Amino acid sequence: MKKVLVLEDESSIRSFIVINLRRAGYEVIEAETGEEALEKLQQHTDVRVALLDIMLPGIDGFEVCRRIRATNTKIGIIMLTARSQEMDKVTGLMTGADDYVTKPFSPAELTARVDALMRRSGGAAEEAAEELRQDPFLLNTRNRTLEKNGQRIKLTQMEYSIMRMFMENPGKALSREEILDLVWGRDYFGELKIVDVNIRRLRLKIEDNPTNPTYITTVWGYGYKWGF
Ligand code: CA
């Protein structure tokens, strides 16, 4: 069974989410506080996607995200943001979330986002062992790992998918729309900004100097290029 954790302190919103995810075939674990969510994730190590509300009593959703990511890069994380808090989207993604959903959202939008992350969190059977090497990087598509100069770089599932897309398209300028389609899928409802924020975060991990990137270069007014 595909397991999702829902962290939301408002019980009406939480039941709305839970009912719709169960209807879509997911097993749902509920938590009311960040502390409870972290505890439940320790008990249920097979949770593949976590939905995290931001404003909570006790530790907030960003802190929960940070603590999950400190030990777990595999799980997919979606932040639940309020429309008025535009900056939360960026902050959430920078603390390690893969995506965000803005309240109020429709059941279709919510399940589409969860489905998209599920597909990327190792649900589908991976193909035979394969390595993509472009010095100094080595991408292993079976283990879904990345090394730079022989050192493992910890990536989230989304970051891994972006790296793989780049390494499969060396030297090709990719528009932000193309990247959104290739990485998040054509049925994705999200905004182009998510591409920029994820790439910003990826640059922090892989570039020698993230403020002057040489591997992932910006193609102004268009998108990005894997600069080999
Ligand atoms: Ca709340």
Side-chain angles (χ1 to χ4, degrees), residues 1 12 20 60 62 65 86-87 97 164 166 170 178 180 182:
M1 186 78 126
S12 59
N20 284 291
D60 70 9
F62 296 134
C65 181
E86 191 68 12
M87 271 314 290
R164 180 168 176 173
F166 276 131
E178 267 178 283
L180 200 64
L182 285 167

Side-chain angles (χ1 to χ4, degrees), residues 12-224:
S12 59
I13 300 176
R14 195 174 62 248
S15 1
F16 169 81
I17 297 171
V18 170
I19 287 166
N20 284 291
L21 288 178
R22 287 196 176 134
R23 201 171 280 158
Y26 290 109
E27 182 180 345
V28 186
I29 313 288
E30 298 179 52
E32 267 188 72
T33 65
E35 290 83 351
E36 190 188 350
L38 291 168
E39 230 170 77
K40 291 208 165 158
L41 281 175
Q42 289 200 320
Q43 293 158 14
H44 302 267
T45 51
D46 53 345
V47 168
R48 288 189 12 218
V49 172
L51 298 176
L52 308 179
D53 183 33
I54 295 170
M55 298 288 282
L56 297 162
I59 59 172
D60 70 9
F62 296 134
E63 182 57 26
V64 175
C65 181
R66 231 174 264 125
R67 291 193 197 177
I68 294 173
R69 277 288 178 251
T71 57
N72 187 340
T73 55
K74 294 274 177 230
I75 193 169
I77 298 180
I78 301 175
M79 306 303 292
L80 305 175
T81 68
R83 200 170 289 287
S84 56
Q85 293 156 308
E86 191 68 12
M87 271 314 290
D88 285 354
K89 298 175 179 176
V90 175
T91 312
L93 293 169
M94 292 309 283
T95 58
D98 298 291
D99 199 1
Y100 53 80
V101 179
T102 307
K103 296 179 196 174
F105 41 79
S106 70
E109 183 180 5
L110 179 74
T111 49
R113 298 296 184 85
V114 175
D115 291 347
L117 258 191
M118 268 299 164
R119 281 199 299 275
R120 265 149 210 90
S121 66
E126 274 294 338
E127 59 273 57
E130 196 191 325
E131 288 186 342
L132 275 173
R133 181 185 293 278
Q134 280 153 28
D135 284 330
F137 296 101
L138 175 68
L139 191 81
N140 182 314
T141 57
R142 175 184 265 175
N143 305 332
R144 301 169 71 88
T145 56
L146 177 74
E147 289 179 6
K148 180 183 179 185
N149 294 317
Q151 301 273 51
R152 174 78 64 89
I153 295 179
K154 281 193 169 186
L155 297 181
T156 66
Q157 294 298 324
M158 276 297 171
E159 290 163 351
Y160 166 82
S161 300
I162 296 170
M163 267 310 282
R164 180 168 176 173
M165 173 204 66
F166 276 131
M167 290 181 75
E168 286 175 341
N169 293 281
K172 186 183 172 201
L174 297 160
S175 73
R176 295 151 85 229
E177 289 83 356
E178 267 178 283
I179 296 172
L180 200 64
D181 279 354
L182 285 167
V183 176
W184 280 266
R186 284 190 183 275
D187 51 354
Y188 185 71
F189 287 70
E191 301 160 46
L192 287 174
K193 181 165 50 178
I194 194 173
V195 173
D196 301 319
V197 179
N198 271 279
I199 285 178
R200 200 162 100 204
R201 199 176 64 203
L202 186 56
R203 278 172 167 164
L204 291 174
K205 295 188 178 183
I206 69 154
E207 294 285 349
D208 302 332
N209 176 5
T211 56
N212 184 20
T214 54
Y215 300 116
I216 302 173
T217 52
T218 301
V219 182
W220 293 106
Y222 187 70
Y224 299 93

